[in-house]
mmCIF file with all atom_site columns, all heavy atoms in Angstrom:
data_model
loop_
_atom_site.group_PDB
_atom_site.id
_atom_site.type_symbol
_atom_site.label_atom_id
_atom_site.label_alt_id
_atom_site.label_comp_id
_atom_site.label_asym_id
_atom_site.label_entity_id
_atom_site.label_seq_id
_atom_site.pdbx_PDB_ins_code
_atom_site.Cartn_x
_atom_site.Cartn_y
_atom_site.Cartn_z
_atom_site.occupancy
_atom_site.B_iso_or_equiv
_atom_site.pdbx_formal_charge
_atom_site.auth_seq_id
_atom_site.auth_comp_id
_atom_site.auth_asym_id
_atom_site.auth_atom_id
_atom_site.pdbx_PDB_model_num
ATOM 1   N N   . ASP A 1 94  ? 0.694   3.573  -3.990  1.00 0.00 ? 1114 ASP A N   1
ATOM 2   C CA  . ASP A 1 94  ? 0.702   4.959  -4.446  1.00 0.00 ? 1114 ASP A CA  1
ATOM 3   C C   . ASP A 1 94  ? 2.108   5.509  -4.306  1.00 0.00 ? 1114 ASP A C   1
ATOM 4   O O   . ASP A 1 94  ? 2.820   5.172  -3.363  1.00 0.00 ? 1114 ASP A O   1
ATOM 5   C CB  . ASP A 1 94  ? -0.283  5.800  -3.629  1.00 0.00 ? 1114 ASP A CB  1
ATOM 6   C CG  . ASP A 1 94  ? -0.523  7.164  -4.245  1.00 0.00 ? 1114 ASP A CG  1
ATOM 7   O OD1 . ASP A 1 94  ? -0.540  7.266  -5.484  1.00 0.00 ? 1114 ASP A OD1 1
ATOM 8   O OD2 . ASP A 1 94  ? -0.698  8.132  -3.491  1.00 0.00 ? 1114 ASP A OD2 1
ATOM 9   N N   . GLU A 1 95  ? 2.503   6.366  -5.254  1.00 0.00 ? 1115 GLU A N   1
ATOM 10  C CA  . GLU A 1 95  ? 3.830   6.951  -5.252  1.00 0.00 ? 1115 GLU A CA  1
ATOM 11  C C   . GLU A 1 95  ? 3.724   8.463  -5.395  1.00 0.00 ? 1115 GLU A C   1
ATOM 12  O O   . GLU A 1 95  ? 2.665   8.992  -5.728  1.00 0.00 ? 1115 GLU A O   1
ATOM 13  C CB  . GLU A 1 95  ? 4.672   6.359  -6.394  1.00 0.00 ? 1115 GLU A CB  1
ATOM 14  C CG  . GLU A 1 95  ? 4.854   4.851  -6.264  1.00 0.00 ? 1115 GLU A CG  1
ATOM 15  C CD  . GLU A 1 95  ? 5.453   4.226  -7.517  1.00 0.00 ? 1115 GLU A CD  1
ATOM 16  O OE1 . GLU A 1 95  ? 5.575   4.959  -8.529  1.00 0.00 ? 1115 GLU A OE1 1
ATOM 17  O OE2 . GLU A 1 95  ? 5.771   3.029  -7.474  1.00 0.00 ? 1115 GLU A OE2 1
ATOM 18  N N   . HIS A 1 96  ? 4.827   9.139  -5.130  1.00 0.00 ? 1116 HIS A N   1
ATOM 19  C CA  . HIS A 1 96  ? 4.840   10.597 -5.226  1.00 0.00 ? 1116 HIS A CA  1
ATOM 20  C C   . HIS A 1 96  ? 4.525   11.042 -6.649  1.00 0.00 ? 1116 HIS A C   1
ATOM 21  O O   . HIS A 1 96  ? 5.093   10.533 -7.608  1.00 0.00 ? 1116 HIS A O   1
ATOM 22  C CB  . HIS A 1 96  ? 6.212   11.133 -4.815  1.00 0.00 ? 1116 HIS A CB  1
ATOM 23  C CG  . HIS A 1 96  ? 6.315   12.618 -4.946  1.00 0.00 ? 1116 HIS A CG  1
ATOM 24  N ND1 . HIS A 1 96  ? 7.076   13.238 -5.914  1.00 0.00 ? 1116 HIS A ND1 1
ATOM 25  C CD2 . HIS A 1 96  ? 5.716   13.613 -4.236  1.00 0.00 ? 1116 HIS A CD2 1
ATOM 26  C CE1 . HIS A 1 96  ? 6.962   14.547 -5.801  1.00 0.00 ? 1116 HIS A CE1 1
ATOM 27  N NE2 . HIS A 1 96  ? 6.146   14.799 -4.781  1.00 0.00 ? 1116 HIS A NE2 1
ATOM 28  N N   . ARG A 1 97  ? 3.592   11.977 -6.761  1.00 0.00 ? 1117 ARG A N   1
ATOM 29  C CA  . ARG A 1 97  ? 3.175   12.490 -8.067  1.00 0.00 ? 1117 ARG A CA  1
ATOM 30  C C   . ARG A 1 97  ? 2.401   13.771 -7.820  1.00 0.00 ? 1117 ARG A C   1
ATOM 31  O O   . ARG A 1 97  ? 1.979   14.057 -6.708  1.00 0.00 ? 1117 ARG A O   1
ATOM 32  C CB  . ARG A 1 97  ? 2.295   11.474 -8.798  1.00 0.00 ? 1117 ARG A CB  1
ATOM 33  C CG  . ARG A 1 97  ? 1.108   11.046 -7.967  1.00 0.00 ? 1117 ARG A CG  1
ATOM 34  C CD  . ARG A 1 97  ? 0.326   9.905  -8.541  1.00 0.00 ? 1117 ARG A CD  1
ATOM 35  N NE  . ARG A 1 97  ? -0.524  9.303  -7.544  1.00 0.00 ? 1117 ARG A NE  1
ATOM 36  C CZ  . ARG A 1 97  ? -1.603  9.847  -7.037  1.00 0.00 ? 1117 ARG A CZ  1
ATOM 37  N NH1 . ARG A 1 97  ? -1.985  11.040 -7.444  1.00 0.00 ? 1117 ARG A NH1 1
ATOM 38  N NH2 . ARG A 1 97  ? -2.318  9.233  -6.122  1.00 0.00 ? 1117 ARG A NH2 1
ATOM 39  N N   . GLU A 1 98  ? 2.204   14.504 -8.862  1.00 0.00 ? 1118 GLU A N   1
ATOM 40  C CA  . GLU A 1 98  ? 1.416   15.718 -8.775  1.00 0.00 ? 1118 GLU A CA  1
ATOM 41  C C   . GLU A 1 98  ? -0.071  15.375 -8.746  1.00 0.00 ? 1118 GLU A C   1
ATOM 42  O O   . GLU A 1 98  ? -0.506  14.383 -9.324  1.00 0.00 ? 1118 GLU A O   1
ATOM 43  C CB  . GLU A 1 98  ? 1.712   16.629 -9.970  1.00 0.00 ? 1118 GLU A CB  1
ATOM 44  C CG  . GLU A 1 98  ? 3.154   17.139 -10.009 1.00 0.00 ? 1118 GLU A CG  1
ATOM 45  C CD  . GLU A 1 98  ? 3.499   18.004 -8.815  1.00 0.00 ? 1118 GLU A CD  1
ATOM 46  O OE1 . GLU A 1 98  ? 2.608   18.743 -8.349  1.00 0.00 ? 1118 GLU A OE1 1
ATOM 47  O OE2 . GLU A 1 98  ? 4.656   17.948 -8.353  1.00 0.00 ? 1118 GLU A OE2 1
ATOM 48  N N   . GLY A 1 99  ? -0.837  16.235 -8.087  1.00 0.00 ? 1119 GLY A N   1
ATOM 49  C CA  . GLY A 1 99  ? -2.284  16.061 -8.110  1.00 0.00 ? 1119 GLY A CA  1
ATOM 50  C C   . GLY A 1 99  ? -2.830  15.444 -6.843  1.00 0.00 ? 1119 GLY A C   1
ATOM 51  O O   . GLY A 1 99  ? -2.111  15.168 -5.880  1.00 0.00 ? 1119 GLY A O   1
ATOM 52  N N   . HIS A 1 100 ? -4.147  15.235 -6.866  1.00 0.00 ? 1120 HIS A N   1
ATOM 53  C CA  . HIS A 1 100 ? -4.855  14.727 -5.691  1.00 0.00 ? 1120 HIS A CA  1
ATOM 54  C C   . HIS A 1 100 ? -4.657  13.223 -5.530  1.00 0.00 ? 1120 HIS A C   1
ATOM 55  O O   . HIS A 1 100 ? -4.464  12.498 -6.503  1.00 0.00 ? 1120 HIS A O   1
ATOM 56  C CB  . HIS A 1 100 ? -6.352  15.030 -5.803  1.00 0.00 ? 1120 HIS A CB  1
ATOM 57  C CG  . HIS A 1 100 ? -6.675  16.493 -5.827  1.00 0.00 ? 1120 HIS A CG  1
ATOM 58  N ND1 . HIS A 1 100 ? -6.712  17.262 -4.693  1.00 0.00 ? 1120 HIS A ND1 1
ATOM 59  C CD2 . HIS A 1 100 ? -6.970  17.331 -6.859  1.00 0.00 ? 1120 HIS A CD2 1
ATOM 60  C CE1 . HIS A 1 100 ? -7.017  18.513 -5.005  1.00 0.00 ? 1120 HIS A CE1 1
ATOM 61  N NE2 . HIS A 1 100 ? -7.177  18.575 -6.316  1.00 0.00 ? 1120 HIS A NE2 1
ATOM 62  N N   . SER A 1 101 ? -4.741  12.766 -4.280  1.00 0.00 ? 1121 SER A N   1
ATOM 63  C CA  . SER A 1 101 ? -4.702  11.335 -4.019  1.00 0.00 ? 1121 SER A CA  1
ATOM 64  C C   . SER A 1 101 ? -6.050  10.715 -4.383  1.00 0.00 ? 1121 SER A C   1
ATOM 65  O O   . SER A 1 101 ? -7.068  11.400 -4.491  1.00 0.00 ? 1121 SER A O   1
ATOM 66  C CB  . SER A 1 101 ? -4.383  11.072 -2.545  1.00 0.00 ? 1121 SER A CB  1
ATOM 67  O OG  . SER A 1 101 ? -5.389  11.636 -1.713  1.00 0.00 ? 1121 SER A OG  1
ATOM 68  N N   . VAL A 1 102 ? -6.041  9.409  -4.571  1.00 0.00 ? 1122 VAL A N   1
ATOM 69  C CA  . VAL A 1 102 ? -7.255  8.671  -4.923  1.00 0.00 ? 1122 VAL A CA  1
ATOM 70  C C   . VAL A 1 102 ? -7.576  7.701  -3.792  1.00 0.00 ? 1122 VAL A C   1
ATOM 71  O O   . VAL A 1 102 ? -6.677  7.050  -3.257  1.00 0.00 ? 1122 VAL A O   1
ATOM 72  C CB  . VAL A 1 102 ? -7.086  7.898  -6.240  1.00 0.00 ? 1122 VAL A CB  1
ATOM 73  C CG1 . VAL A 1 102 ? -8.355  7.120  -6.586  1.00 0.00 ? 1122 VAL A CG1 1
ATOM 74  C CG2 . VAL A 1 102 ? -6.724  8.847  -7.377  1.00 0.00 ? 1122 VAL A CG2 1
ATOM 75  N N   . SER A 1 103 ? -8.840  7.622  -3.418  1.00 0.00 ? 1123 SER A N   1
ATOM 76  C CA  . SER A 1 103 ? -9.285  6.656  -2.415  1.00 0.00 ? 1123 SER A CA  1
ATOM 77  C C   . SER A 1 103 ? -10.386 5.802  -3.016  1.00 0.00 ? 1123 SER A C   1
ATOM 78  O O   . SER A 1 103 ? -10.981 6.156  -4.039  1.00 0.00 ? 1123 SER A O   1
ATOM 79  C CB  . SER A 1 103 ? -9.789  7.365  -1.152  1.00 0.00 ? 1123 SER A CB  1
ATOM 80  O OG  . SER A 1 103 ? -10.858 8.242  -1.466  1.00 0.00 ? 1123 SER A OG  1
ATOM 81  N N   . VAL A 1 104 ? -10.653 4.660  -2.398  1.00 0.00 ? 1124 VAL A N   1
ATOM 82  C CA  . VAL A 1 104 ? -11.759 3.805  -2.829  1.00 0.00 ? 1124 VAL A CA  1
ATOM 83  C C   . VAL A 1 104 ? -12.731 3.676  -1.672  1.00 0.00 ? 1124 VAL A C   1
ATOM 84  O O   . VAL A 1 104 ? -12.324 3.658  -0.504  1.00 0.00 ? 1124 VAL A O   1
ATOM 85  C CB  . VAL A 1 104 ? -11.272 2.418  -3.288  1.00 0.00 ? 1124 VAL A CB  1
ATOM 86  C CG1 . VAL A 1 104 ? -10.400 2.545  -4.518  1.00 0.00 ? 1124 VAL A CG1 1
ATOM 87  C CG2 . VAL A 1 104 ? -10.515 1.693  -2.183  1.00 0.00 ? 1124 VAL A CG2 1
ATOM 88  N N   . TYR A 1 105 ? -14.014 3.608  -1.992  1.00 0.00 ? 1125 TYR A N   1
ATOM 89  C CA  . TYR A 1 105 ? -14.991 3.564  -0.910  1.00 0.00 ? 1125 TYR A CA  1
ATOM 90  C C   . TYR A 1 105 ? -16.163 2.652  -1.241  1.00 0.00 ? 1125 TYR A C   1
ATOM 91  O O   . TYR A 1 105 ? -16.484 2.392  -2.403  1.00 0.00 ? 1125 TYR A O   1
ATOM 92  C CB  . TYR A 1 105 ? -15.479 4.964  -0.560  1.00 0.00 ? 1125 TYR A CB  1
ATOM 93  C CG  . TYR A 1 105 ? -16.280 5.669  -1.641  1.00 0.00 ? 1125 TYR A CG  1
ATOM 94  C CD1 . TYR A 1 105 ? -17.671 5.650  -1.627  1.00 0.00 ? 1125 TYR A CD1 1
ATOM 95  C CD2 . TYR A 1 105 ? -15.645 6.370  -2.663  1.00 0.00 ? 1125 TYR A CD2 1
ATOM 96  C CE1 . TYR A 1 105 ? -18.406 6.307  -2.603  1.00 0.00 ? 1125 TYR A CE1 1
ATOM 97  C CE2 . TYR A 1 105 ? -16.367 7.035  -3.631  1.00 0.00 ? 1125 TYR A CE2 1
ATOM 98  C CZ  . TYR A 1 105 ? -17.754 7.001  -3.599  1.00 0.00 ? 1125 TYR A CZ  1
ATOM 99  O OH  . TYR A 1 105 ? -18.482 7.646  -4.567  1.00 0.00 ? 1125 TYR A OH  1
ATOM 100 N N   . LEU A 1 106 ? -16.775 2.171  -0.175  1.00 0.00 ? 1126 LEU A N   1
ATOM 101 C CA  . LEU A 1 106 ? -17.943 1.301  -0.260  1.00 0.00 ? 1126 LEU A CA  1
ATOM 102 C C   . LEU A 1 106 ? -19.109 2.020  0.399   1.00 0.00 ? 1126 LEU A C   1
ATOM 103 O O   . LEU A 1 106 ? -19.020 2.419  1.566   1.00 0.00 ? 1126 LEU A O   1
ATOM 104 C CB  . LEU A 1 106 ? -17.669 -0.019 0.465   1.00 0.00 ? 1126 LEU A CB  1
ATOM 105 C CG  . LEU A 1 106 ? -18.757 -1.090 0.408   1.00 0.00 ? 1126 LEU A CG  1
ATOM 106 C CD1 . LEU A 1 106 ? -18.910 -1.626 -1.014  1.00 0.00 ? 1126 LEU A CD1 1
ATOM 107 C CD2 . LEU A 1 106 ? -18.425 -2.230 1.370   1.00 0.00 ? 1126 LEU A CD2 1
ATOM 108 N N   . GLU A 1 107 ? -20.189 2.194  -0.350  1.00 0.00 ? 1127 GLU A N   1
ATOM 109 C CA  . GLU A 1 107 ? -21.377 2.856  0.191   1.00 0.00 ? 1127 GLU A CA  1
ATOM 110 C C   . GLU A 1 107 ? -22.183 1.825  0.979   1.00 0.00 ? 1127 GLU A C   1
ATOM 111 O O   . GLU A 1 107 ? -23.006 1.103  0.427   1.00 0.00 ? 1127 GLU A O   1
ATOM 112 C CB  . GLU A 1 107 ? -22.198 3.457  -0.941  1.00 0.00 ? 1127 GLU A CB  1
ATOM 113 C CG  . GLU A 1 107 ? -21.463 4.573  -1.678  1.00 0.00 ? 1127 GLU A CG  1
ATOM 114 C CD  . GLU A 1 107 ? -22.246 5.094  -2.875  1.00 0.00 ? 1127 GLU A CD  1
ATOM 115 O OE1 . GLU A 1 107 ? -22.414 4.326  -3.842  1.00 0.00 ? 1127 GLU A OE1 1
ATOM 116 O OE2 . GLU A 1 107 ? -22.679 6.254  -2.835  1.00 0.00 ? 1127 GLU A OE2 1
#
Side-chain angles (χ1 to χ4, degrees):
D1114 192 36
E1115 299 169 352
H1116 178 251
R1117 55 189 163 71
E1118 296 297 325
H1120 297 281
S1121 61
V1122 179
S1123 58
V1124 296
Y1125 66 97
L1126 184 68
E1127 295 176 293

